[in-house]
Amino acid sequence: MRRFFGFSPRDASIMDPQHRHFLECTWEALENAGHPPDQFPGSVAVFAGSGLNTYLIYNLLTNRKLMESAGLFLLKQTGNDKDVLATRVSYQFNLRGRASTFKPLARRLSWQFTSPVRRS
């Protein structure tokens, strides 16, 4: 059985599809740039934007058998936490630059527009 990015089929099924897609897009971007990660001598930084996803909530937490066998910590940290997106990519491709995951701008803007305005 083929292991894309070294993930077992079970780990791949637990990982949020958006995280898997981001890994694939990163691989394609590096490939198109002509810089295979294992041959590039310099630093490559990863900046990613990710918000709360619902794959964990609606697809994994509702599977009692999976919850009992894997546990919440493993399910969350195997690739379903928004905060590990850039770090995961850097680790998977052995990149040596900065890895930062940011919350989407829309969320910040919605907070600004819904926050009470203080007037002096």
Side-chain angles (χ1 to χ4, degrees), residues 95-117:
L95 303 176
R96 294 174 297 279
R98 182 177 178 181
S100 299
T101 303
F102 300 93
K103 292 181 183 176
L105 180 61
R107 183 177 231 173
R108 290 185 198 155
L109 289 176
S110 67
W111 178 83
Q112 284 181 325
F113 293 124
T114 58
S115 295
V117 177

Side-chain angles (χ1 to χ4, degrees), residues 52-70:
L52 179 66
N53 59 59
T54 58
Y55 183 74
L56 174 70
I57 297 167
Y58 293 116
N59 295 289
L60 302 178
L61 296 181
T62 57
N63 184 334
R64 183 179 300 262
K65 185 177 178 182
L66 182 63
M67 284 292 297
E68 289 172 357
S69 68

